[in-house]
Amino acid sequence: MGGSRTLSGRFGWLTTLAGMALCAWGAADAAGPDAAASRGAASGGIDLLQYDWSHLDGATPSVAGVRIDGLGWGIVPPADEPDEPVIDNPPINLRGPALQVTGDFAVSARVRLPAGASAYLTLYGRPPLIQDEWRQEGEAVTLALSKDRLRVELQDGIGRSRHHEYPVAVGEKARVTLSRVGRQLVVDVDGRTVARVDDPGLFDSGRVLFGAHGDVGEDFWLTGLSAQPLTASADVSVDDSPLPRVSPPADSLRALAARNVPHLAIGTAVAAIPLVSDPNYARVLARQYSMVTPENAMKFQFVHPRPDRYAFAEADAIVDFAERNHMAVHGHTLAWGEALPRWLTRGDYSDGQIREILAGHIATVVGRYKGRVASWDVINEPLEPFGPDLRRDSPWYRAMGADYIAFALRAAHRADPDAKLYINEFACESRNAKSDALYRLARSLLARGVPLDGIGFQLHEDMTDDYDPVTAAAFRDNVQRFIDLGLAVRISEMDVNLHDDDSPERLRAQADYYRSMLELARDIPAFTAFSTWGFTDRYSSLQEWWDADGLGNGLIFDPELQPKPAYRALQAALAR
């Protein structure tokens, strides 16, 4: 359902917060599906359940409401911090109803709690920024309701989290309302005010996104959800517009490449949250790029959070956006030793069961996107970080040894025979012991008839006074031997980190370096893609999770999504 619906000051008589709305929700307990469109009007608010909840991971919409399952979605810390806890990463309904709010407003929810279950509803004023090993919090409030307790959690950016707990007694059905009144947040449960806390400005952005989740293995029902203004000057509207479609201009990177270098896709890694929540991000992406790589959304821990459950909402959003804007998709990644959920790494599985898990995972993920994802990083970073040996610390290697690589490639080919299959690796730009080992691996796989189409070279480079990145000449010399095997090659994850020096001189050097690598790929038909790991410093893996203002500087658009000298250099290289 598209478009928007607005409720404004004509409902200003609702100055008793959500109390009157709660009474209306209570009277609607027996309402059936035919009443879906009228429940909001009856309560003086907008019925949010009439909008799309099918893209919220763990949610199952039905005529009775939305069942919310606890997926246990989380981010696993790096391998060198094995005892650190998993970072909670509950799903957000990125493609469902989003509120636009001014002034005082209320959101009222009606839930049904099975015995022993808890319900978690989160309202985001600013969504988090997520990488594969960290979650940088935004601004949000979470209401956690159980049979005898209400927990209110305020998240006001990094390191600014406050928790409040209140005793409450609720039955199987409960009604909870969050109201913003001036600079306070007020929470009512079953018509009684339970909490009043100072509002640090969580919704000053004027936008509200929703998330809902349960405890792992538990579920609850969201049987009602409405939003309404509370004063004559307040305004509440709902935006559930579809993913945007954008026409690229003739001088964009993708248009220049299509016209002058048709063998080369211009790609970038894409994060789902800014894609859906930041219109400028989506606009620049669609204008400039002809290929997208899901940055995290297809990694094992994100897409397969429990042994019997998958979570495809974010990956679906990226693939759907790409199709709407005539962009190819390069999937990332199927078999990697990192970003694995702890149900897998700490489970008591036999070698045979691990083989079945990997085979089932590949069949499910690749099968879901058959014909929609053009190519895959089937194997990601199989070698030690700076050595020639295969990594031995993954469940795949421990169960199958080196044979896991051929096993995964064959499984991916069975799932989609038309998709191009890649090994993706870093620190292999020049001839060295690691790139020699990668070459021997590729040659061995081809000799055995294993379906391998190409190699991705990551090119995460640093440019400092103490370090010079690999030259284009050295890269050309190294990559040619892979081409001679009959393989395609791609620059898969390029960024050029300037660290503490982003002076005009260093930005020009960064631009020259980007251009040298694009010119190399432009002039060699075996290159299928020139892809950067993100495109704007605002959403960059070079940012540290603990510093919201410490943005990276290694990409071609600045934090305001304005082109940097590197963009102009790439544009000139493609214009010939």
Side-chain angles (χ1 to χ4, degrees), residues 503-519:
S503 62
E505 294 77 17
R506 190 56 61 84
L507 287 170
R508 284 195 294 271
Q510 181 189 58
D512 291 342
Y513 187 74
Y514 265 111
R515 179 169 181 165
S516 71
M517 289 301 179
L518 178 56
E519 288 176 339

Side-chain angles (χ1 to χ4, degrees), residues 350-392:
S350 68
D351 291 351
Q353 288 173 319
I354 291 294
R355 290 171 64 92
E356 291 176 1
I357 288 170
L358 181 57
H361 177 85
I362 292 173
T364 300
V365 177
V366 177
R368 181 180 183 87
Y369 299 109
K370 181 179 180 180
R372 304 179 70 197
V373 171
S375 53
W376 287 92
D377 287 333
V378 179
I379 309 297
N380 194 53
E381 300 173 3
L383 299 169
E384 290 287 350
F386 299 102
D389 298 325
L390 288 174
R391 292 179 57 169
R392 300 170 183 264

